[in-house]
Amino acid sequence: DTKIIKVDRCNPQKEKIREAARYLIQGEVVAFPTETVYGLGANALDPKAVKKIFAAKGRPADNPLIVHISEPEAIKYLAGRFPDSTWPLIKQFWPGPLTIILPKKEIVPMEVTAGLDTVALRMPAHPVALELIREAGFPVAAPSANLSGRPSPTAAEHVIRDLAGKIPVILDGGQTEVGLESTVIDLTGRVPVILRPGGVTYEELKSILGEVDIDPGLLPEKYVPRAPGMKYTHYSPRAAVILVGGSIEKIRQVVQAIAKREIARGKRVGIMATEQTLHCYSAGEIISVGDRDNPSTIASNLFAVIREFDDRGVDVIVAEGIDEKGIGLAVMNRLKKASGFNIVDADAYLESGE
Ligand code: TXA
Ligand code: MG
C-alpha cells in the first residue's frame, strides 16, 4: 500500500517532511513534488536504494538519473573539474529548472549515472523538495515519477495513477508550476550543449553564456540521441498524436480537417486546442491546453491534458503547434516526441489539397 502525505507547498510541515525523509534514510523510494514535475527519489549514494527507482518505474538501467541537492556547494563533493560557465549558471538559475552535466567524482555510484563518468546535478526550486533533501542529509537521485513511457506527472494524482502499490510513499504538494522537465545542459565540452530543452530557455542560457549549442539530436531530421534518455519514447500517450505546425490560421483549418478525416475513419478524436482557437472547432473532444500569448500556461498544462485524453479513451490526438521560441522550444520538443515525429505542415497540407 502506498501512503499519501499531503504537505503545504509553501510552508512544508516539519513532521511530514521528516516522516518522508525517514523512508529515504531507510533506503526506500519517495515520490515528491518539484517545480517542474514530480520526482521519484532515493539516496543517490546508495546503489541498492537507487535500483528500487528503476524497478518501480520499469526504467531501462542505461538511462542515468539526475542527482538533486539542496545547496549549490554540494556539487563540490559530487563533481570535479568545473568549467568557468558553472558558477554564473548556478548563480542565475539555481534553485530552478536547470540540470548541469559535469565530470563525476568517485562517490557517485555508477547505478546513478548508468556507467557514465559524468553526473547530472540540479537544485530544485520547490520548498518541499529542498526540505526533503535537507532532512535526508544526502543528495537524492530522482527521475520523473511516472511509469517509464508515460508523460511526466505534474500532480500527485498522476503519480498515484502510475505507481500506487509500487512505492511506499508519495508527498502530495499539489500541482507543479513549470509542468515540463528541467533543461539539461552538458558543460563537459568546450561549448555548453543543451541536451534537453526545458524550464530554463535557450535564450536565457545564451544571455548568460554567450555561446551555447543545441544538440543536433533535437532536430527531427538528424535524430541521433545523445542524452542516453533521449532515445526512449518518453511522454507517449496511448493515443496516436498528430502534430500540426505552420501559421495559426492554417493550423486551425488543418486541425479541423484532420479531426473530421479521423472521425470519418471511425476514430475517437481529441483536439488539443488553445484559448485562441477553442471556439473554432466543432468535432471530437476539444480541450484547451493554454494561452498562445502566455506559452508557460501551455507548458504547465501539457502533460495533464495528454493524460486527460488518455483517460477519455481517444484514439487520436490532433495537436496545434506553437512558436519554438522561449518555453515553446521545450513544449514543441515534448509534442514532437509524443507524436513520434508525425508532424503535418499545415501550409503543405492545404496546398496538396488532401
Ligand atoms: O525536471 C526534472 O529534471 C525532473 C525532476 C524530478 O527533477 N527529472 C527528470 O528526470 O526529468 P528524468 O530521469 O526523467 O530525465 C533525466 C534526463 C534523461 O534524459 C537522462 O538521460 C539525462 O537527464 N541524463 C542524466 N544523467 C545524464 C548524464 N550524465 N549525461 C547525459 N544525460 C544525462
Ligand atoms: Mg522522465
Side-chain angles (χ1 to χ4, degrees):
D1 238 40
T2 301
K3 177 158 191 180
I4 295 160
I5 304 174
K6 273 206 197 291
V7 61
D8 186 75
R9 192 205 168 281
C10 305
N11 298 295
Q13 299 89 329
K14 248 302 190 251
E15 71 282 1
K16 297 191 174 181
I17 297 292
R18 236 177 240 148
E19 186 183 353
R22 264 200 297 276
Y23 285 91
L24 291 176
I25 291 163
Q26 287 161 5
E28 284 302 326
V29 297
V30 173
F32 64 97
T34 81
E35 80 281 27
T36 57
V37 300
Y38 273 72
L40 181 62
N43 182 350
L45 307 180
D46 175 356
K48 262 174 67 186
V50 168
K51 280 188 180 153
K52 292 181 185 171
I53 296 176
F54 287 89
K57 283 189 54 124
R59 182 179 176 107
D62 65 348
N63 193 3
L65 307 178
I66 296 172
V67 176
H68 297 72
I69 54 183
S70 59
E71 53 191 12
E73 295 71 41
I75 68 170
K76 289 179 186 157
Y77 77 97
L78 297 166
R81 277 198 289 125
F82 303 101
D84 295 341
S85 55
T86 311
W87 314 111
L89 278 183
I90 288 178
K91 188 162 190 290
Q92 183 72 22
F93 299 113
W94 279 9
L98 182 71
T99 296
I100 60 175
I101 310 281
L102 289 168
K104 83 172 190 77
K105 278 197 172 157
E106 193 67 37
I107 191 172
V108 183
M110 68 135 182
E111 282 77 5
V112 170
T113 65
L116 298 175
D117 53 11
T118 53
V119 61
L121 298 165
R122 174 163 113 82
M123 179 180 174
H126 195 293
V128 173
L130 290 173
E131 281 302 316
L132 180 68
I133 301 163
R134 276 187 205 121
E135 195 59 41
F138 42 71
V140 172
S144 48
N146 51 284
L147 277 179
S148 204
R150 296 269 289 147
S152 292
T154 54
E157 291 70 40
H158 303 160
V159 183
I160 295 169
R161 199 61 193 267
D162 279 13
L163 296 175
K166 295 194 165 86
I167 59 174
V169 61
I170 299 171
L171 263 178
D172 179 353
Q175 268 188 289
T176 65
E177 296 93 68
V178 179
L180 299 179
E181 304 86 347
S182 62
T183 303
V184 178
I185 189 164
D186 184 349
L187 300 182
T188 61
R190 189 187 66 79
V191 179
V193 183
I194 297 173
L195 302 183
R196 177 175 75 180
V200 171
T201 66
Y202 167 77
E203 293 85 345
E204 288 173 313
L205 288 165
K206 188 149 174 100
S207 78
I208 298 292
L209 294 170
E211 205 178 358
V212 55
D213 287 343
I214 302 183
D215 188 329
L218 295 174
L219 308 169
E221 310 90 81
K222 308 180 211 155
Y223 195 62
V224 191
R226 210 172 120 180
M230 295 204 301
K231 67 173 179 274
Y232 301 105
T233 12
H234 278 118
Y235 331 109
S236 58
R238 298 193 183 93
V241 175
I242 302 171
L243 175 60
V244 182
S247 57
I248 183 59
E249 304 76 38
K250 289 181 177 156
I251 286 179
R252 247 198 285 130
Q253 290 177 54
V254 172
V255 166
Q256 176 81 350
I258 291 177
K260 285 192 168 150
R261 181 191 77 194
E262 294 299 318
I263 289 167
R265 288 175 180 168
K267 296 281 170 47
R268 287 197 57 191
V269 171
I271 295 183
M272 194 185 289
T274 47
E275 293 304 306
Q276 284 76 4
T277 57
L278 192 59
H279 64 281
C280 306
Y281 301 118
S282 57
E285 313 249 346
I286 307 153
I287 303 179
S288 167
V289 68
D291 178 357
R292 285 179 169 275
D293 296 330
N294 187 2
S296 62
T297 60
I298 299 177
S300 181
N301 297 328
L302 181 67
F303 288 145
V305 169
I306 289 177
R307 280 178 181 263
E308 173 64 25
F309 279 128
D310 273 345
D311 291 347
R312 293 194 194 178
V314 308
D315 305 305
V316 181
I317 301 169
V318 191
E320 294 178 5
I322 65 168
D323 282 348
E324 292 188 73
K325 54 177 198 268
I327 192 74
L329 182 68
V331 169
M332 286 297 281
N333 169 261
R334 305 309 189 272
L335 278 171
K336 286 175 185 176
K337 289 177 79 174
S339 77
F341 297 96
N342 185 2
I343 305 162
V344 174
D345 178 72
D347 298 74
Y349 184 97
L350 289 174
E351 268 163 39
S352 76
E354 241 192 279

